[in-house]
Amino acid sequence: MSEFDENERREFVERWVGMWESPTAADDAMAYYTEDAEIVDKAFGHTYRGHHELRQYFSNAMELFANIRSVCTGVLVGRTHAVAHVRYTATIRKPFLCLPESARGREFSLYLMALLEFAEDGRITRGVDAYDRAAVLQQLGLLPETALQPATHATPFSGGPRPADGPL
């Protein structure tokens, strides 16, 4: 195993986050991933494996989204793993999956946490992305704003007073 350098790993992850903004991201991304790497999108339940599927994944993102802005807001690094905190913003170029035509031209922003696993050569062998899909759908007008509002009364887990209608 090669010598681990925390600063180099952090800089690698920050470049990887910034790569999303490149119009050539589909090609640029392959330098960051091993040939058998996988990306797991927890919000939509999809997994992409190997350079062929990863290239298609990035190509689709470039086709579907415009004005992509990907900003690293923090990185925790270790010898074999890293966690990147990312603020991702884009505009829907054309509808896909569950998005109707009314989503075209609408901007969304999300907070993304990416757990990255590294191969011995320092490239990413597995990435797991987690973000709030419902919040994105709210921004695009597909879910009502009230769908994710916090409860107006205490719950047994909140530490506050019990609801007036008695014990739970």
Side-chain angles (χ1 to χ4, degrees):
M1 181 179 259
S2 62
E3 182 87 17
F4 172 71
D5 183 310
E6 186 175 331
N7 290 327
E8 283 181 18
R9 176 64 48 84
R10 181 175 286 104
E11 290 168 4
F12 175 90
V13 172
E14 289 171 348
R15 285 192 311 273
W16 171 78
V17 170
M19 174 266 312
W20 276 94
E21 296 183 12
S22 169
T24 58
D27 293 324
D28 299 345
M30 296 310 105
Y32 291 90
Y33 292 94
T34 61
E35 288 75 17
D36 62 346
E38 71 177 19
I39 296 174
V40 179
D41 180 337
K42 295 301 254 181
F44 281 96
H46 294 151
T47 299
Y48 308 89
R49 291 181 178 89
H51 273 198
H52 176 74
E53 288 184 18
L54 268 59
R55 182 175 272 107
Q56 190 61 50
Y57 168 77
F58 282 96
S59 293
N60 287 346
M62 298 303 109
E63 182 182 325
L64 297 172
F65 304 132
N67 308 319
I68 295 172
R69 182 84 174 115
S70 186
V71 177
C72 187
T73 61
V75 181
L76 301 172
V77 298
R79 182 173 297 283
T80 61
H81 292 76
V83 176
H85 301 270
V86 180
R87 174 58 66 191
Y88 184 88
T89 305
T91 303
I92 303 296
R93 196 184 301 261
K94 67 181 194 177
F96 62 98
L97 294 176
C98 63
L99 300 182
E101 183 61 35
S102 62
R104 185 185 302 270
R106 295 194 70 167
E107 184 179 86
F108 69 93
S109 179
L110 60 89
Y111 166 77
L112 167 83
M113 186 208 61
L115 172 62
L116 305 172
E117 297 176 18
F118 296 96
E120 286 190 32
D121 68 1
R123 292 183 298 160
I124 300 166
T125 188
R126 185 167 192 260
V128 179
D129 296 341
Y131 55 94
D132 186 351
R133 180 174 75 172
V136 172
L137 295 175
Q138 279 184 323
Q139 292 173 56
L140 298 175
L142 301 174
L143 282 179
E145 288 293 323
T146 58
L148 298 178
Q149 296 300 316
T152 57
H153 60 276
T155 69
F157 309 105
S158 67
R162 293 186 177 270
D165 56 339
L168 295 176

